[in-house]
Amino acid sequence: MTDRTGRPSDADRGGGPRIGWGAGVWGAAVTAVLALLPPAVSSRLPDRLATHWDGTAPDGSMPLWAAALAPAAVWVLLLLGLLLAARRRGAPGRHWTAATLAVSGVFLAGAQVSIVRANLDRADWRDAASTGTGMLVVAAAAVGAGALGWLAGRHGEPPSAVRETAAGPLLEIPEGERFVWLSRTTNRWLRLTGAVAALIAAVAVLVAAAGLAAAPPWALIAPFAVVALAASGCSSVQARVTEKGLEVAFGPLGRPVRRWRAEDIVSARAETRTPAQVGGWGYRIGGQGTTVMLRSGECLVVRPRTGSDFAVSVDDAERGAALLNTLSARRSA
């Protein structure tokens, strides 16, 4: 998000709030899996759990309480260290922090699930099954999660400073210069809803993977996964105006994206809208056209040559509309 002078806002400077909020939810979820999974199925586990394998045979063990608390402690220390390092480095290191948290969290949680599953219904830890195949799957999942974390962190970095211009229906752009306008809005309640739904779906998947359920609980996994995707996709939005036109990106990964070429836009304006006017929160379609409603107040509204109006709730909409009008007029001339 940018303020009216084009500088990064306080919420984005240093990467603090968005990193801390997301890392807090992720950290709590991974900690819960690490610390609570072994005690949750303790009646089906031996007193000591096999925790290390020499090839296919277990050669090391821990008491059940240590097998739960040791990886949780490692995870918490890693989490705190990464967050402190990210705050000192500032926003440029945000994507690496997100990637590291994703890789390490998925790997530790997956390893814990594999260990519990290998020890399940065994009388002695020496009889534990091999974790070889399970750990290969966990390693692949961790790499994939790291890639997604890196993309999410890159998308969350604040944009470079926008050139300061006067607000108005049109902007005077000197010959040979290029102006870019960018603004971002996040709805923390939608983001929280998506995170909680994803956590419930993930726990259900882990329960099934650990052999604690006779069959995957699809009646629980499917609806919460859909809610997680829908809420996360509408939890944040980024609008960007360049010489090509308008680009509106959704969700923490900036996907999906809607684009309009400058010459395909008849007009753009700033307008105040509320959830009550457009029918609620999120992606709304109604009599006023399509509105991406993340918070009450200022919206950028565009009228394309074909189709209905499109509005998105972002700050500094007046200047974005003025730049878009100028670009549209130039392309249509």
Side-chain angles (χ1 to χ4, degrees):
M1 185 187 303
T2 57
D3 63 20
R4 294 196 178 268
T5 63
R7 296 185 298 269
S9 66
D10 292 337
D12 288 333
R13 194 173 293 117
R18 287 208 298 265
I19 286 182
W21 188 93
V25 173
W26 177 242
V30 175
T31 303
V33 171
L34 295 174
L36 300 181
L37 183 59
V41 291
S42 58
S43 61
R44 299 177 58 186
L45 296 173
D47 293 335
R48 297 182 68 87
L49 301 188
T51 54
H52 190 271
W53 280 256
D54 180 13
T56 58
D59 63 350
S61 67
M62 284 186 179
L64 190 146
W65 65 268
L69 295 183
V74 170
W75 166 247
V76 170
L77 290 174
L78 176 63
L79 177 66
L80 293 176
L82 286 172
L83 292 180
L84 288 174
R87 287 187 177 277
R88 290 181 179 180
R89 284 198 307 266
R94 183 180 307 179
H95 52 292
W96 293 113
T97 300
T100 305
L101 286 175
V103 169
S104 55
V106 169
F107 185 82
L108 286 172
Q112 186 72 307
V113 170
S114 295
I115 289 173
V116 169
R117 188 172 185 178
N119 286 273
L120 208 60
D121 298 322
R122 307 287 175 166
D124 187 89
W125 67 268
R126 298 176 185 84
D127 299 325
S130 172
T131 59
T133 302
M135 290 306 298
L136 288 177
V137 174
V138 168
V143 171
L148 291 176
W150 190 88
L151 289 174
R154 289 284 295 179
H155 183 72
E157 289 182 4
S160 57
V162 178
R163 294 181 178 87
E164 189 171 348
T165 60
L170 292 172
L171 294 180
E172 294 295 331
I173 303 179
E175 191 67 30
E177 290 192 17
R178 296 181 180 181
F179 285 179
V180 174
W181 173 88
L182 187 147
S183 188
R184 178 182 174 89
T185 300
T186 298
N187 184 304
R188 294 191 176 185
W189 289 108
L190 286 174
R191 179 173 285 185
L192 178 61
T193 300
V196 171
L199 177 59
I200 294 173
V203 169
V205 170
L206 289 174
V207 168
L212 305 181
W218 294 113
L220 184 65
I221 296 172
F224 279 102
V226 171
V227 170
L229 289 174
S232 298
C234 292
S235 65
S236 62
V237 65
Q238 179 173 283
R240 184 169 180 258
V241 177
T242 66
E243 287 188 336
K244 294 180 179 180
L246 173 65
E247 178 181 282
V248 179
F250 299 88
L253 297 179
R255 297 289 186 276
V257 181
R258 288 199 64 177
R259 295 182 176 89
W260 292 263
R261 295 185 304 172
E263 58 267 30
D264 293 335
I265 294 177
V266 176
S267 64
R269 66 187 187 276
E271 183 178 296
T272 298
R273 294 188 178 184
T274 66
Q277 290 175 326
V278 301
W281 301 93
Y283 198 95
R284 315 303 299 182
I285 300 177
Q288 294 179 297
T290 300
T291 302
V292 183
M293 177 55 63
L294 299 188
R295 53 108 180 96
S296 298
E298 191 177 18
C299 294
L300 171 63
V301 185
V302 296
R303 175 162 296 173
R305 298 190 184 280
T306 58
S308 58
D309 286 2
F310 180 90
V312 55
S313 53
V314 289
D315 294 336
D316 200 21
E318 187 176 10
R319 186 167 54 172
L323 177 57
L324 195 55
N325 285 333
T326 301
L327 296 173
S328 177
R330 284 187 174 184
R331 291 294 183 91
S332 301

